[in-house]
Amino acid sequence: MRPTSVAVGGVLMCLLLVAAVLVGSRGPGPRDQPDRANQRNGLLLSWPTVEPSLPGLTRGRGPTVLLFVRAAPEGDVLQDWRGTLPAAAHVVLVVQEPGATSSGPASAAAAAGVDLVVDEVGRLAHAVDLPEPVDGGPGIGYAVVDTEGVVRYSTLDPAWPDNAFEVDTIVGATS
């Protein structure tokens, strides 16, 4: 009789663990890629080459980090994020919100010492092949473009203020 109660206890324990995993797992959020396994896979790309005529891109100064946002972040959030990146990185805040030509994005960019590009039609996001999030809106994330104009990394990252160390790693790998 003892082996049966151990077996039943083991089965119950397995069922509890399965239930905990299912409850603790969540699907992609509205600003994530549909396939989260590809969202930030850490693979450096060697394509596409971005046209130098696009706003915000300068070749030869060092890698360019394009930070894609829907609306301008608070100046101190952007400033703290920028402070963790190498000084040689050219950082461009790409605001994709319609009507974003107000002083909000400009003051946030100026406070952080980054360039500003307002790109309501998504030309830069398309040029760097920024993935489309589940909600279908503009992607929130970043792309790293090397000095030759080659996109080395492009990803959605709705939690970008907390993940500056990732950008620092990618910039270091492309320098």
Side-chain angles (χ1 to χ4, degrees), residues 3-167:
T4 303
S5 63
V6 171
V8 169
V11 168
L12 288 175
M13 180 62 79
C14 287
L15 289 175
L16 285 173
L17 287 173
V18 168
V21 168
L22 291 176
V23 169
S25 300
R26 65 176 181 91
R31 295 181 179 178
D32 290 316
Q33 272 184 252
D35 183 356
R36 298 261 327 250
N38 288 323
Q39 185 156 318
R40 291 199 313 276
N41 60 20
L43 299 175
L44 291 180
L45 307 173
S46 59
W47 55 269
T49 300
V50 180
E51 296 297 322
S53 61
L54 288 172
L57 296 175
T58 57
R59 291 191 181 168
R61 285 184 32 189
T64 298
V65 178
L66 301 170
L67 175 62
F68 293 91
V69 295
R70 291 182 180 177
E74 297 294 323
D76 58 340
V77 171
L78 183 59
Q79 193 170 5
D80 290 345
W81 183 83
R82 172 59 177 114
T84 64
L85 301 181
H90 175 223
V91 178
V92 179
L93 177 65
V94 183
V95 179
Q96 304 172 95
E97 176 184 72
T101 56
S102 67
S103 63
S107 63
V114 304
D115 291 339
L116 172 67
V117 172
V118 176
D119 188 17
E120 296 177 19
V121 296
R123 284 182 62 208
L124 279 170
H126 179 70
V128 299
D129 200 22
L130 189 71
E132 185 176 313
V134 171
D135 70 3
I140 299 170
Y142 61 89
V144 177
V145 181
D146 70 14
T147 57
E148 301 298 317
V150 177
V151 177
R152 300 305 307 270
Y153 198 76
S154 180
T155 186
L156 296 182
D157 188 0
W160 63 268
D162 300 325
N163 297 326
F165 67 93
E166 292 179 4
V167 183

